[in-house]
PDB file of all heavy atoms in Angstrom:
ATOM      1  N   HIS A 117     -10.958  -6.085  -9.742  1.00 97.00           N
ATOM      2  CA  HIS A 117     -10.531  -5.210 -10.832  1.00 97.00           C
ATOM      3  C   HIS A 117      -9.052  -4.843 -10.748  1.00 97.00           C
ATOM      4  O   HIS A 117      -8.472  -4.416 -11.736  1.00 97.00           O
ATOM      5  CB  HIS A 117     -11.362  -3.925 -10.833  1.00 97.00           C
ATOM      6  CG  HIS A 117     -12.832  -4.160 -10.982  1.00 97.00           C
ATOM      7  ND1 HIS A 117     -13.400  -4.617 -12.157  1.00 97.00           N
ATOM      8  CD2 HIS A 117     -13.854  -4.022 -10.094  1.00 97.00           C
ATOM      9  CE1 HIS A 117     -14.701  -4.736 -11.999  1.00 97.00           C
ATOM     10  NE2 HIS A 117     -15.008  -4.394 -10.751  1.00 97.00           N
ATOM     11  N   GLY A 118      -8.440  -4.999  -9.565  1.00 97.00           N
ATOM     12  CA  GLY A 118      -7.065  -4.568  -9.400  1.00 97.00           C
ATOM     13  C   GLY A 118      -6.972  -3.045  -9.345  1.00 97.00           C
ATOM     14  O   GLY A 118      -7.964  -2.346  -9.106  1.00 97.00           O
ATOM     15  N   LEU A 119      -5.777  -2.533  -9.583  1.00 96.00           N
ATOM     16  CA  LEU A 119      -5.589  -1.084  -9.574  1.00 96.00           C
ATOM     17  C   LEU A 119      -6.156  -0.456 -10.842  1.00 96.00           C
ATOM     18  O   LEU A 119      -6.247  -1.101 -11.885  1.00 96.00           O
ATOM     19  CB  LEU A 119      -4.099  -0.759  -9.452  1.00 96.00           C
ATOM     20  CG  LEU A 119      -3.399  -1.170  -8.148  1.00 96.00           C
ATOM     21  CD1 LEU A 119      -1.933  -0.759  -8.180  1.00 96.00           C
ATOM     22  CD2 LEU A 119      -4.097  -0.549  -6.936  1.00 96.00           C
ATOM     23  N   ILE A 120      -6.516   0.807 -10.730  1.00 96.00           N
ATOM     24  CA  ILE A 120      -7.019   1.572 -11.875  1.00 96.00           C
ATOM     25  C   ILE A 120      -6.023   2.681 -12.185  1.00 96.00           C
ATOM     26  O   ILE A 120      -5.570   3.399 -11.286  1.00 96.00           O
ATOM     27  CB  ILE A 120      -8.409   2.159 -11.573  1.00 96.00           C
ATOM     28  CG1 ILE A 120      -9.409   1.024 -11.343  1.00 96.00           C
ATOM     29  CG2 ILE A 120      -8.879   3.050 -12.722  1.00 96.00           C
ATOM     30  CD1 ILE A 120     -10.793   1.482 -10.932  1.00 96.00           C
ATOM     31  N   VAL A 121      -5.627   2.778 -13.440  1.00 95.00           N
ATOM     32  CA  VAL A 121      -4.657   3.793 -13.859  1.00 95.00           C
ATOM     33  C   VAL A 121      -5.269   4.670 -14.950  1.00 95.00           C
ATOM     34  O   VAL A 121      -6.282   4.314 -15.553  1.00 95.00           O
ATOM     35  CB  VAL A 121      -3.356   3.139 -14.382  1.00 95.00           C
ATOM     36  CG1 VAL A 121      -2.712   2.286 -13.297  1.00 95.00           C
ATOM     37  CG2 VAL A 121      -3.627   2.297 -15.629  1.00 95.00           C
ATOM     38  N   SER A 122      -4.637   5.803 -15.190  1.00 94.00           N
ATOM     39  CA  SER A 122      -5.095   6.708 -16.245  1.00 94.00           C
ATOM     40  C   SER A 122      -4.453   6.317 -17.566  1.00 94.00           C
ATOM     41  O   SER A 122      -3.228   6.197 -17.647  1.00 94.00           O
ATOM     42  CB  SER A 122      -4.730   8.150 -15.890  1.00 94.00           C
ATOM     43  OG  SER A 122      -5.402   8.565 -14.722  1.00 94.00           O
ATOM     44  N   GLY A 123      -5.282   6.125 -18.590  1.00 93.00           N
ATOM     45  CA  GLY A 123      -4.791   5.788 -19.914  1.00 93.00           C
ATOM     46  C   GLY A 123      -5.182   6.838 -20.927  1.00 93.00           C
ATOM     47  O   GLY A 123      -5.908   7.793 -20.601  1.00 93.00           O
ATOM     48  N   PRO A 124      -4.746   6.703 -22.159  1.00 93.00           N
ATOM     49  CA  PRO A 124      -5.087   7.662 -23.211  1.00 93.00           C
ATOM     50  C   PRO A 124      -6.589   7.806 -23.431  1.00 93.00           C
ATOM     51  O   PRO A 124      -7.067   8.868 -23.833  1.00 93.00           O
ATOM     52  CB  PRO A 124      -4.414   7.073 -24.450  1.00 93.00           C
ATOM     53  CG  PRO A 124      -3.356   6.172 -23.934  1.00 93.00           C
ATOM     54  CD  PRO A 124      -3.869   5.631 -22.647  1.00 93.00           C
ATOM     55  N   ASP A 125      -7.338   6.733 -23.158  1.00 91.00           N
ATOM     56  CA  ASP A 125      -8.791   6.756 -23.362  1.00 91.00           C
ATOM     57  C   ASP A 125      -9.562   6.898 -22.056  1.00 91.00           C
ATOM     58  O   ASP A 125     -10.760   6.629 -22.004  1.00 91.00           O
ATOM     59  CB  ASP A 125      -9.232   5.478 -24.086  1.00 91.00           C
ATOM     60  CG  ASP A 125      -8.545   5.313 -25.427  1.00 91.00           C
ATOM     61  OD1 ASP A 125      -8.421   6.321 -26.140  1.00 91.00           O
ATOM     62  OD2 ASP A 125      -8.117   4.185 -25.737  1.00 91.00           O
ATOM     63  N   GLY A 126      -8.858   7.289 -20.979  1.00 94.00           N
ATOM     64  CA  GLY A 126      -9.511   7.439 -19.687  1.00 94.00           C
ATOM     65  C   GLY A 126      -9.056   6.375 -18.704  1.00 94.00           C
ATOM     66  O   GLY A 126      -8.161   5.573 -19.000  1.00 94.00           O
ATOM     67  N   PRO A 127      -9.649   6.319 -17.506  1.00 96.00           N
ATOM     68  CA  PRO A 127      -9.258   5.335 -16.495  1.00 96.00           C
ATOM     69  C   PRO A 127      -9.479   3.906 -16.995  1.00 96.00           C
ATOM     70  O   PRO A 127     -10.473   3.612 -17.657  1.00 96.00           O
ATOM     71  CB  PRO A 127     -10.183   5.650 -15.314  1.00 96.00           C
ATOM     72  CG  PRO A 127     -10.643   7.044 -15.545  1.00 96.00           C
ATOM     73  CD  PRO A 127     -10.713   7.223 -17.030  1.00 96.00           C
ATOM     74  N   ILE A 128      -8.541   3.011 -16.654  1.00 97.00           N
ATOM     75  CA  ILE A 128      -8.654   1.603 -17.051  1.00 97.00           C
ATOM     76  C   ILE A 128      -8.062   0.741 -15.943  1.00 97.00           C
ATOM     77  O   ILE A 128      -7.050   1.089 -15.335  1.00 97.00           O
ATOM     78  CB  ILE A 128      -7.954   1.343 -18.407  1.00 97.00           C
ATOM     79  CG1 ILE A 128      -8.188  -0.109 -18.866  1.00 97.00           C
ATOM     80  CG2 ILE A 128      -6.467   1.677 -18.345  1.00 97.00           C
ATOM     81  CD1 ILE A 128      -7.750  -0.363 -20.297  1.00 97.00           C
ATOM     82  N   SER A 129      -8.700  -0.381 -15.636  1.00 97.00           N
ATOM     83  CA  SER A 129      -8.267  -1.252 -14.537  1.00 97.00           C
ATOM     84  C   SER A 129      -7.317  -2.326 -15.033  1.00 97.00           C
ATOM     85  O   SER A 129      -7.216  -2.596 -16.234  1.00 97.00           O
ATOM     86  CB  SER A 129      -9.484  -1.914 -13.886  1.00 97.00           C
ATOM     87  OG  SER A 129     -10.076  -2.856 -14.775  1.00 97.00           O
ATOM     88  N   GLU A 130      -6.630  -2.950 -14.060  1.00 97.00           N
ATOM     89  CA  GLU A 130      -5.770  -4.094 -14.383  1.00 97.00           C
ATOM     90  C   GLU A 130      -6.561  -5.172 -15.116  1.00 97.00           C
ATOM     91  O   GLU A 130      -6.125  -5.707 -16.134  1.00 97.00           O
ATOM     92  CB  GLU A 130      -5.215  -4.709 -13.098  1.00 97.00           C
ATOM     93  CG  GLU A 130      -4.060  -4.013 -12.464  1.00 97.00           C
ATOM     94  CD  GLU A 130      -3.578  -4.788 -11.247  1.00 97.00           C
ATOM     95  OE1 GLU A 130      -3.044  -5.905 -11.424  1.00 97.00           O
ATOM     96  OE2 GLU A 130      -3.744  -4.279 -10.128  1.00 97.00           O
ATOM     97  N   ALA A 131      -7.747  -5.496 -14.563  1.00 97.00           N
ATOM     98  CA  ALA A 131      -8.557  -6.572 -15.138  1.00 97.00           C
ATOM     99  C   ALA A 131      -8.932  -6.262 -16.582  1.00 97.00           C
ATOM    100  O   ALA A 131      -8.884  -7.138 -17.453  1.00 97.00           O
ATOM    101  CB  ALA A 131      -9.814  -6.790 -14.300  1.00 97.00           C
ATOM    102  N   ASP A 132      -9.299  -5.008 -16.855  1.00 97.00           N
ATOM    103  CA  ASP A 132      -9.688  -4.638 -18.215  1.00 97.00           C
ATOM    104  C   ASP A 132      -8.506  -4.700 -19.179  1.00 97.00           C
ATOM    105  O   ASP A 132      -8.654  -5.133 -20.328  1.00 97.00           O
ATOM    106  CB  ASP A 132     -10.293  -3.232 -18.229  1.00 97.00           C
ATOM    107  CG  ASP A 132     -11.687  -3.196 -17.606  1.00 97.00           C
ATOM    108  OD1 ASP A 132     -12.315  -4.274 -17.517  1.00 97.00           O
ATOM    109  OD2 ASP A 132     -12.137  -2.107 -17.204  1.00 97.00           O
ATOM    110  N   MET A 133      -7.323  -4.279 -18.717  1.00 98.00           N
ATOM    111  CA  MET A 133      -6.146  -4.345 -19.576  1.00 98.00           C
ATOM    112  C   MET A 133      -5.763  -5.789 -19.881  1.00 98.00           C
ATOM    113  O   MET A 133      -5.422  -6.128 -21.021  1.00 98.00           O
ATOM    114  CB  MET A 133      -4.962  -3.599 -18.933  1.00 98.00           C
ATOM    115  CG  MET A 133      -5.051  -2.088 -19.059  1.00 98.00           C
ATOM    116  SD  MET A 133      -3.529  -1.254 -18.531  1.00 98.00           S
ATOM    117  CE  MET A 133      -3.741  -1.264 -16.752  1.00 98.00           C
ATOM    118  N   LEU A 134      -5.841  -6.642 -18.863  1.00 98.00           N
ATOM    119  CA  LEU A 134      -5.491  -8.050 -19.075  1.00 98.00           C
ATOM    120  C   LEU A 134      -6.509  -8.735 -19.986  1.00 98.00           C
ATOM    121  O   LEU A 134      -6.142  -9.552 -20.835  1.00 98.00           O
ATOM    122  CB  LEU A 134      -5.395  -8.772 -17.733  1.00 98.00           C
ATOM    123  CG  LEU A 134      -4.219  -8.351 -16.843  1.00 98.00           C
ATOM    124  CD1 LEU A 134      -4.341  -8.975 -15.453  1.00 98.00           C
ATOM    125  CD2 LEU A 134      -2.889  -8.746 -17.477  1.00 98.00           C
ATOM    126  N   TRP A 135      -7.786  -8.405 -19.802  1.00 98.00           N
ATOM    127  CA  TRP A 135      -8.828  -8.987 -20.671  1.00 98.00           C
ATOM    128  C   TRP A 135      -8.633  -8.530 -22.115  1.00 98.00           C
ATOM    129  O   TRP A 135      -8.747  -9.323 -23.054  1.00 98.00           O
ATOM    130  CB  TRP A 135     -10.206  -8.613 -20.161  1.00 98.00           C
ATOM    131  CG  TRP A 135     -11.308  -9.243 -20.953  1.00 98.00           C
ATOM    132  CD1 TRP A 135     -11.989  -8.704 -22.006  1.00 98.00           C
ATOM    133  CD2 TRP A 135     -11.823 -10.570 -20.789  1.00 98.00           C
ATOM    134  NE1 TRP A 135     -12.905  -9.602 -22.500  1.00 98.00           N
ATOM    135  CE2 TRP A 135     -12.826 -10.757 -21.772  1.00 98.00           C
ATOM    136  CE3 TRP A 135     -11.546 -11.608 -19.897  1.00 98.00           C
ATOM    137  CZ2 TRP A 135     -13.545 -11.937 -21.889  1.00 98.00           C
ATOM    138  CZ3 TRP A 135     -12.270 -12.790 -20.010  1.00 98.00           C
ATOM    139  CH2 TRP A 135     -13.249 -12.956 -20.998  1.00 98.00           C
ATOM    140  N   ASP A 136      -8.317  -7.245 -22.281  1.00 98.00           N
ATOM    141  CA  ASP A 136      -8.097  -6.708 -23.625  1.00 98.00           C
ATOM    142  C   ASP A 136      -6.870  -7.359 -24.275  1.00 98.00           C
ATOM    143  O   ASP A 136      -6.912  -7.725 -25.463  1.00 98.00           O
ATOM    144  CB  ASP A 136      -7.901  -5.197 -23.555  1.00 98.00           C
ATOM    145  CG  ASP A 136      -7.640  -4.579 -24.920  1.00 98.00           C
ATOM    146  OD1 ASP A 136      -8.597  -4.411 -25.695  1.00 98.00           O
ATOM    147  OD2 ASP A 136      -6.464  -4.286 -25.225  1.00 98.00           O
ATOM    148  N   LEU A 137      -5.797  -7.515 -23.495  1.00 98.00           N
ATOM    149  CA  LEU A 137      -4.598  -8.153 -24.026  1.00 98.00           C
ATOM    150  C   LEU A 137      -4.886  -9.599 -24.415  1.00 98.00           C
ATOM    151  O   LEU A 137      -4.464 -10.065 -25.489  1.00 98.00           O
ATOM    152  CB  LEU A 137      -3.476  -8.103 -22.985  1.00 98.00           C
ATOM    153  CG  LEU A 137      -2.186  -8.844 -23.316  1.00 98.00           C
ATOM    154  CD1 LEU A 137      -1.585  -8.367 -24.630  1.00 98.00           C
ATOM    155  CD2 LEU A 137      -1.174  -8.685 -22.172  1.00 98.00           C
ATOM    156  N   ALA A 138      -5.624 -10.321 -23.561  1.00 98.00           N
ATOM    157  CA  ALA A 138      -5.980 -11.707 -23.875  1.00 98.00           C
ATOM    158  C   ALA A 138      -6.829 -11.771 -25.147  1.00 98.00           C
ATOM    159  O   ALA A 138      -6.648 -12.673 -25.983  1.00 98.00           O
ATOM    160  CB  ALA A 138      -6.734 -12.330 -22.699  1.00 98.00           C
ATOM    161  N   SER A 139      -7.742 -10.820 -25.319  1.00 98.00           N
ATOM    162  CA  SER A 139      -8.594 -10.800 -26.507  1.00 98.00           C
ATOM    163  C   SER A 139      -7.782 -10.530 -27.769  1.00 98.00           C
ATOM    164  O   SER A 139      -8.042 -11.118 -28.829  1.00 98.00           O
ATOM    165  CB  SER A 139      -9.683  -9.734 -26.349  1.00 98.00           C
ATOM    166  OG  SER A 139     -10.500 -10.011 -25.221  1.00 98.00           O
ATOM    167  N   ARG A 140      -6.808  -9.637 -27.677  1.00 98.00           N
ATOM    168  CA  ARG A 140      -5.950  -9.352 -28.830  1.00 98.00           C
ATOM    169  C   ARG A 140      -5.110 -10.576 -29.198  1.00 98.00           C
ATOM    170  O   ARG A 140      -4.939 -10.894 -30.379  1.00 98.00           O
ATOM    171  CB  ARG A 140      -5.053  -8.152 -28.537  1.00 98.00           C
ATOM    172  CG  ARG A 140      -5.816  -6.848 -28.437  1.00 98.00           C
ATOM    173  CD  ARG A 140      -4.952  -5.685 -27.931  1.00 98.00           C
ATOM    174  NE  ARG A 140      -5.788  -4.535 -27.640  1.00 98.00           N
ATOM    175  CZ  ARG A 140      -6.101  -3.584 -28.522  1.00 98.00           C
ATOM    176  NH1 ARG A 140      -5.606  -3.641 -29.751  1.00 98.00           N
ATOM    177  NH2 ARG A 140      -6.885  -2.584 -28.184  1.00 98.00           N
ATOM    178  N   LEU A 141      -4.588 -11.264 -28.188  1.00 98.00           N
ATOM    179  CA  LEU A 141      -3.807 -12.473 -28.454  1.00 98.00           C
ATOM    180  C   LEU A 141      -4.705 -13.568 -29.025  1.00 98.00           C
ATOM    181  O   LEU A 141      -4.334 -14.257 -29.985  1.00 98.00           O
ATOM    182  CB  LEU A 141      -3.146 -12.946 -27.154  1.00 98.00           C
ATOM    183  CG  LEU A 141      -2.282 -14.202 -27.227  1.00 98.00           C
ATOM    184  CD1 LEU A 141      -1.165 -14.054 -28.264  1.00 98.00           C
ATOM    185  CD2 LEU A 141      -1.698 -14.538 -25.850  1.00 98.00           C
ATOM    186  N   GLU A 142      -5.905 -13.709 -28.448  1.00 98.00           N
ATOM    187  CA  GLU A 142      -6.861 -14.706 -28.934  1.00 98.00           C
ATOM    188  C   GLU A 142      -7.228 -14.442 -30.388  1.00 98.00           C
ATOM    189  O   GLU A 142      -7.285 -15.364 -31.215  1.00 98.00           O
ATOM    190  CB  GLU A 142      -8.115 -14.691 -28.067  1.00 98.00           C
ATOM    191  CG  GLU A 142      -9.166 -15.693 -28.503  1.00 98.00           C
ATOM    192  CD  GLU A 142     -10.484 -15.511 -27.781  1.00 98.00           C
ATOM    193  OE1 GLU A 142     -10.797 -14.368 -27.393  1.00 98.00           O
ATOM    194  OE2 GLU A 142     -11.214 -16.511 -27.620  1.00 98.00           O
ATOM    195  N   GLY A 143      -7.469 -13.186 -30.753  1.00 97.00           N
ATOM    196  CA  GLY A 143      -7.842 -12.845 -32.123  1.00 97.00           C
ATOM    197  C   GLY A 143      -6.767 -13.210 -33.118  1.00 97.00           C
ATOM    198  O   GLY A 143      -7.054 -13.759 -34.196  1.00 97.00           O
ATOM    199  N   ARG A 144      -5.518 -12.933 -32.782  1.00 96.00           N
ATOM    200  CA  ARG A 144      -4.411 -13.258 -33.682  1.00 96.00           C
ATOM    201  C   ARG A 144      -4.228 -14.767 -33.814  1.00 96.00           C
ATOM    202  O   ARG A 144      -3.979 -15.286 -34.900  1.00 96.00           O
ATOM    203  CB  ARG A 144      -3.125 -12.603 -33.184  1.00 96.00           C
ATOM    204  CG  ARG A 144      -3.076 -11.094 -33.449  1.00 96.00           C
ATOM    205  CD  ARG A 144      -1.991 -10.419 -32.623  1.00 96.00           C
ATOM    206  NE  ARG A 144      -1.806  -9.032 -33.041  1.00 96.00           N
ATOM    207  CZ  ARG A 144      -2.618  -8.033 -32.690  1.00 96.00           C
ATOM    208  NH1 ARG A 144      -3.672  -8.292 -31.924  1.00 96.00           N
ATOM    209  NH2 ARG A 144      -2.384  -6.804 -33.101  1.00 96.00           N
ATOM    210  N   MET A 145      -4.342 -15.464 -32.697  1.00 96.00           N
ATOM    211  CA  MET A 145      -4.171 -16.919 -32.743  1.00 96.00           C
ATOM    212  C   MET A 145      -5.298 -17.577 -33.534  1.00 96.00           C
ATOM    213  O   MET A 145      -5.063 -18.513 -34.303  1.00 96.00           O
ATOM    214  CB  MET A 145      -4.106 -17.479 -31.314  1.00 96.00           C
ATOM    215  CG  MET A 145      -2.810 -17.165 -30.588  1.00 96.00           C
ATOM    216  SD  MET A 145      -2.732 -17.937 -28.947  1.00 96.00           S
ATOM    217  CE  MET A 145      -0.966 -17.762 -28.594  1.00 96.00           C
ATOM    218  N   THR A 146      -6.511 -17.104 -33.341  1.00 96.00           N
ATOM    219  CA  THR A 146      -7.648 -17.658 -34.083  1.00 96.00           C
ATOM    220  C   THR A 146      -7.500 -17.405 -35.573  1.00 96.00           C
ATOM    221  O   THR A 146      -7.770 -18.293 -36.402  1.00 96.00           O
ATOM    222  CB  THR A 146      -8.960 -17.044 -33.566  1.00 96.00           C
ATOM    223  OG1 THR A 146      -9.098 -17.315 -32.164  1.00 96.00           O
ATOM    224  CG2 THR A 146     -10.154 -17.620 -34.301  1.00 96.00           C
ATOM    225  N   ALA A 147      -7.043 -16.200 -35.937  1.00 94.00           N
ATOM    226  CA  ALA A 147      -6.871 -15.859 -37.355  1.00 94.00           C
ATOM    227  C   ALA A 147      -5.838 -16.746 -38.030  1.00 94.00           C
ATOM    228  O   ALA A 147      -5.920 -17.010 -39.233  1.00 94.00           O
ATOM    229  CB  ALA A 147      -6.463 -14.392 -37.485  1.00 94.00           C
ATOM    230  N   ILE A 148      -4.876 -17.228 -37.251  1.00 93.00           N
ATOM    231  CA  ILE A 148      -3.817 -18.051 -37.827  1.00 93.00           C
ATOM    232  C   ILE A 148      -4.185 -19.532 -37.823  1.00 93.00           C
ATOM    233  O   ILE A 148      -3.435 -20.375 -38.304  1.00 93.00           O
ATOM    234  CB  ILE A 148      -2.500 -17.791 -37.071  1.00 93.00           C
ATOM    235  CG1 ILE A 148      -1.304 -17.798 -38.009  1.00 93.00           C
ATOM    236  CG2 ILE A 148      -2.292 -18.768 -35.929  1.00 93.00           C
ATOM    237  CD1 ILE A 148      -0.060 -17.178 -37.434  1.00 93.00           C
ATOM    238  N   GLY A 149      -5.379 -19.854 -37.262  1.00 93.00           N
ATOM    239  CA  GLY A 149      -5.862 -21.227 -37.296  1.00 93.00           C
ATOM    240  C   GLY A 149      -5.721 -22.010 -36.018  1.00 93.00           C
ATOM    241  O   GLY A 149      -5.980 -23.221 -35.986  1.00 93.00           O
ATOM    242  N   MET A 150      -5.343 -21.338 -34.934  1.00 96.00           N
ATOM    243  CA  MET A 150      -5.187 -22.035 -33.655  1.00 96.00           C
ATOM    244  C   MET A 150      -6.538 -22.136 -32.942  1.00 96.00           C
ATOM    245  O   MET A 150      -7.410 -21.279 -33.120  1.00 96.00           O
ATOM    246  CB  MET A 150      -4.180 -21.301 -32.770  1.00 96.00           C
ATOM    247  CG  MET A 150      -2.815 -21.102 -33.414  1.00 96.00           C
ATOM    248  SD  MET A 150      -1.656 -20.180 -32.365  1.00 96.00           S
ATOM    249  CE  MET A 150      -1.119 -21.473 -31.245  1.00 96.00           C
ATOM    250  N   GLU A 151      -6.703 -23.198 -32.144  1.00 97.00           N
ATOM    251  CA  GLU A 151      -7.881 -23.330 -31.289  1.00 97.00           C
ATOM    252  C   GLU A 151      -7.580 -22.629 -29.973  1.00 97.00           C
ATOM    253  O   GLU A 151      -6.651 -23.016 -29.258  1.00 97.00           O
ATOM    254  CB  GLU A 151      -8.204 -24.798 -31.020  1.00 97.00           C
ATOM    255  CG  GLU A 151      -8.610 -25.586 -32.245  1.00 97.00           C
ATOM    256  CD  GLU A 151      -8.940 -27.018 -31.870  1.00 97.00           C
ATOM    257  OE1 GLU A 151      -9.578 -27.231 -30.814  1.00 97.00           O
ATOM    258  OE2 GLU A 151      -8.545 -27.931 -32.624  1.00 97.00           O
ATOM    259  N   THR A 152      -8.312 -21.580 -29.666  1.00 98.00           N
ATOM    260  CA  THR A 152      -8.034 -20.807 -28.461  1.00 98.00           C
ATOM    261  C   THR A 152      -9.201 -20.862 -27.490  1.00 98.00           C
ATOM    262  O   THR A 152     -10.365 -20.895 -27.891  1.00 98.00           O
ATOM    263  CB  THR A 152      -7.734 -19.338 -28.806  1.00 98.00           C
ATOM    264  OG1 THR A 152      -8.846 -18.794 -29.516  1.00 98.00           O
ATOM    265  CG2 THR A 152      -6.483 -19.215 -29.657  1.00 98.00           C
ATOM    266  N   TYR A 153      -8.868 -20.865 -26.209  1.00 98.00           N
ATOM    267  CA  TYR A 153      -9.868 -20.875 -25.138  1.00 98.00           C
ATOM    268  C   TYR A 153      -9.424 -19.882 -24.077  1.00 98.00           C
ATOM    269  O   TYR A 153      -8.226 -19.736 -23.810  1.00 98.00           O
ATOM    270  CB  TYR A 153      -9.982 -22.264 -24.500  1.00 98.00           C
ATOM    271  CG  TYR A 153     -10.384 -23.355 -25.459  1.00 98.00           C
ATOM    272  CD1 TYR A 153      -9.427 -23.987 -26.258  1.00 98.00           C
ATOM    273  CD2 TYR A 153     -11.713 -23.767 -25.573  1.00 98.00           C
ATOM    274  CE1 TYR A 153      -9.783 -24.993 -27.148  1.00 98.00           C
ATOM    275  CE2 TYR A 153     -12.077 -24.771 -26.462  1.00 98.00           C
ATOM    276  CZ  TYR A 153     -11.103 -25.380 -27.239  1.00 98.00           C
ATOM    277  OH  TYR A 153     -11.449 -26.376 -28.124  1.00 98.00           O
ATOM    278  N   LEU A 154     -10.379 -19.205 -23.462  1.00 98.00           N
ATOM    279  CA  LEU A 154     -10.092 -18.346 -22.319  1.00 98.00           C
ATOM    280  C   LEU A 154     -10.372 -19.120 -21.040  1.00 98.00           C
ATOM    281  O   LEU A 154     -11.328 -19.899 -20.967  1.00 98.00           O
ATOM    282  CB  LEU A 154     -10.929 -17.072 -22.371  1.00 98.00           C
ATOM    283  CG  LEU A 154     -10.586 -16.099 -23.514  1.00 98.00           C
ATOM    284  CD1 LEU A 154     -11.588 -14.949 -23.538  1.00 98.00           C
ATOM    285  CD2 LEU A 154      -9.171 -15.559 -23.363  1.00 98.00           C
ATOM    286  N   SER A 155      -9.556 -18.905 -20.025  1.00 97.00           N
ATOM    287  CA  SER A 155      -9.666 -19.683 -18.790  1.00 97.00           C
ATOM    288  C   SER A 155     -10.859 -19.279 -17.934  1.00 97.00           C
ATOM    289  O   SER A 155     -11.221 -19.993 -16.997  1.00 97.00           O
ATOM    290  CB  SER A 155      -8.390 -19.517 -17.964  1.00 97.00           C
ATOM    291  OG  SER A 155      -8.261 -18.161 -17.530  1.00 97.00           O
ATOM    292  N   ARG A 156     -11.456 -18.138 -18.243  1.00 97.00           N
ATOM    293  CA  ARG A 156     -12.563 -17.641 -17.421  1.00 97.00           C
ATOM    294  C   ARG A 156     -13.450 -16.722 -18.240  1.00 97.00           C
ATOM    295  O   ARG A 156     -13.005 -16.126 -19.222  1.00 97.00           O
ATOM    296  CB  ARG A 156     -12.016 -16.856 -16.220  1.00 97.00           C
ATOM    297  CG  ARG A 156     -11.256 -15.588 -16.626  1.00 97.00           C
ATOM    298  CD  ARG A 156     -10.949 -14.706 -15.434  1.00 97.00           C
ATOM    299  NE  ARG A 156     -10.197 -13.502 -15.782  1.00 97.00           N
ATOM    300  CZ  ARG A 156     -10.744 -12.370 -16.177  1.00 97.00           C
ATOM    301  NH1 ARG A 156     -12.068 -12.290 -16.331  1.00 97.00           N
ATOM    302  NH2 ARG A 156      -9.998 -11.311 -16.446  1.00 97.00           N
ATOM    303  N   PRO A 157     -14.728 -16.570 -17.822  1.00 96.00           N
ATOM    304  CA  PRO A 157     -15.560 -15.510 -18.414  1.00 96.00           C
ATOM    305  C   PRO A 157     -15.164 -14.169 -17.812  1.00 96.00           C
ATOM    306  O   PRO A 157     -14.460 -14.108 -16.795  1.00 96.00           O
ATOM    307  CB  PRO A 157     -16.979 -15.917 -18.004  1.00 96.00           C
ATOM    308  CG  PRO A 157     -16.802 -16.702 -16.753  1.00 96.00           C
ATOM    309  CD  PRO A 157     -15.486 -17.415 -16.886  1.00 96.00           C
ATOM    310  N   ILE A 158     -15.620 -13.097 -18.399  1.00 95.00           N
ATOM    311  CA  ILE A 158     -15.210 -11.768 -17.955  1.00 95.00           C
ATOM    312  C   ILE A 158     -15.705 -11.449 -16.543  1.00 95.00           C
ATOM    313  O   ILE A 158     -15.094 -10.644 -15.824  1.00 95.00           O
ATOM    314  CB  ILE A 158     -15.697 -10.694 -18.962  1.00 95.00           C
ATOM    315  CG1 ILE A 158     -14.977  -9.363 -18.717  1.00 95.00           C
ATOM    316  CG2 ILE A 158     -17.213 -10.546 -18.898  1.00 95.00           C
ATOM    317  CD1 ILE A 158     -15.205  -8.335 -19.807  1.00 95.00           C
TER     318      ILE A 158
END
């Protein structure tokens, strides 16, 4: 999980932030017509 920090919505880990960022990037790329893949399951 990496380090856990305090965020606006409560504690959040490195892994969760990176997964969320990857999901946001994936969503935008998919919406624009790109084929996107994640390198790992959660």
Side-chain angles (χ1 to χ4, degrees):
H117 301 291
L119 295 181
I120 297 176
V121 300
S122 296
D125 301 318
I128 185 169
S129 69
E130 281 183 68
D132 288 340
M133 282 189 280
L134 291 171
W135 183 266
D136 179 77
L137 174 57
S139 300
R140 291 171 190 270
L141 180 56
E142 180 189 29
R144 285 164 171 78
M145 287 184 165
T146 301
I148 218 164
M150 304 178 80
E151 295 181 40
T152 58
Y153 300 84
L154 292 174
S155 65
R156 64 170 179 87
I158 195 170

